[in-house]
Amino acid sequence: MDVTAPRQYGPVSIRLVKPRDARVLQHELLANRTWLRPWEATSPDGPVSFDMKLGIRRLLQQYRDGAGVPYVMEYDGEVAGQLNVWGIARGSLSSATIGYWVSERFAGRGITPTSVALATDVCFRELGLHRMEICIRPENLASLRVVAKLGFRYEGLRRRFIHISGDWRDHYAFALVREEVPEGVLQRWVSGRASEDAAAIPAADRPASGR
């Protein structure tokens, strides 16, 4: 099957990003600076230029190279954010990582968990990957709810893992492997069979992360 084909569940859909998406995505990012800035990766070398056209070209080149799949998330056909499958590794690792952002005006509509479930199913079923990972700052309670809803399994604390807001920040790592979801991530979630307990963070990791 074609991994570029749009995937949809209810009003939520994901599709491959296109160059023509640059203007609306840049508008959403600029309009949501206060909402998104605490979670956005930054460069330890200093500020970098904000050019969505260039960013999309780079994402699509990574897609052509087999290193990632960049999606746009939509709600009722309106662009609501981005979801990127990145760091695709083949061979004995056969894994990838998911990152995403959603506009504040679309928060609370189930867009992110639905999109993550759709993308993970594509990665397992059509790309043939074995493991999917999501890394989240301990302070990002909304994203922690996403992995809990979908039954992603907590794997550990990664100290000073990603540079965000001017410093290296701790992240919690969550993952699923294909054997855990033979029916698919989306189907397991909507049928109520995803265990939120899988994402529980042990007490030993909470003080270490400052929470």
Side-chain angles (χ1 to χ4, degrees):
M1 296 178 68
D2 182 6
V3 300
T4 66
R7 301 298 194 279
Q8 183 167 358
Y9 180 77
V12 179
S13 61
I14 60 172
R15 61 169 174 80
L16 195 71
V17 70
K18 302 174 182 178
R20 68 170 183 245
D21 294 317
R23 185 170 67 176
V24 65
L25 286 172
Q26 184 150 331
H27 171 77
E28 291 296 329
L29 285 171
L30 291 174
N32 284 268
R33 297 317 304 141
T34 302
W35 169 256
L36 296 173
R37 187 177 289 114
W39 322 118
E40 288 180 342
T42 50
S43 171
D45 299 322
V48 295
S49 63
F50 186 80
D51 185 338
M52 184 54 67
K53 289 183 179 180
L54 177 60
I56 289 176
R57 286 199 297 269
R58 288 174 174 170
L59 288 171
L60 290 174
Q61 184 60 55
Q62 291 173 9
Y63 168 70
R64 289 188 289 269
D65 293 340
V69 184
Y71 287 113
V72 165
M73 299 188 292
E74 294 184 329
Y75 187 84
D76 278 339
E78 187 176 0
V79 172
Q82 283 183 276
L83 182 151
N84 291 321
V85 177
W86 59 276
I88 293 178
R90 294 291 185 174
S92 57
L93 195 56
S94 189
S95 68
T97 299
I98 287 179
Y100 48 79
W101 62 265
V102 67
S103 296
E104 185 175 13
R105 63 195 177 97
F106 288 103
R109 303 189 192 185
I111 295 170
T112 303
T114 303
S115 298
V116 169
L118 289 168
T120 303
D121 285 343
V122 169
C123 289
F124 283 159
R125 294 174 173 174
E126 296 167 41
L127 292 180
L129 297 180
H130 178 251
R131 179 180 180 277
M132 298 299 295
E133 179 177 279
I134 298 177
C135 294
I136 301 170
R137 285 190 64 181
E139 300 85 358
N140 193 341
L141 301 182
S143 279
L144 292 176
R145 285 294 301 142
V146 169
V147 291
K149 287 179 180 179
L150 298 180
F152 272 70
R153 176 176 28 79
Y154 179 70
E155 289 201 331
L157 172 66
R158 296 187 175 179
R159 291 180 171 83
R160 300 180 64 78
F161 181 52
I162 300 176
H163 196 274
I164 294 175
S165 297
D167 202 356
W168 297 99
R169 309 293 181 176
D170 292 351
H171 281 67
Y172 292 141
F174 303 85
L176 279 177
V177 295
R178 191 167 51 197
E179 294 88 345
E180 293 176 287
V181 283
E183 73 271 50
V185 181
L186 181 65
Q187 181 58 36
R188 187 178 72 161
W189 175 43
V190 299
S191 64
R193 294 195 297 272
S195 172
E196 295 195 11
D197 292 341
I201 300 160
D205 283 354
R206 292 179 181 270
S209 67
R211 290 187 57 80

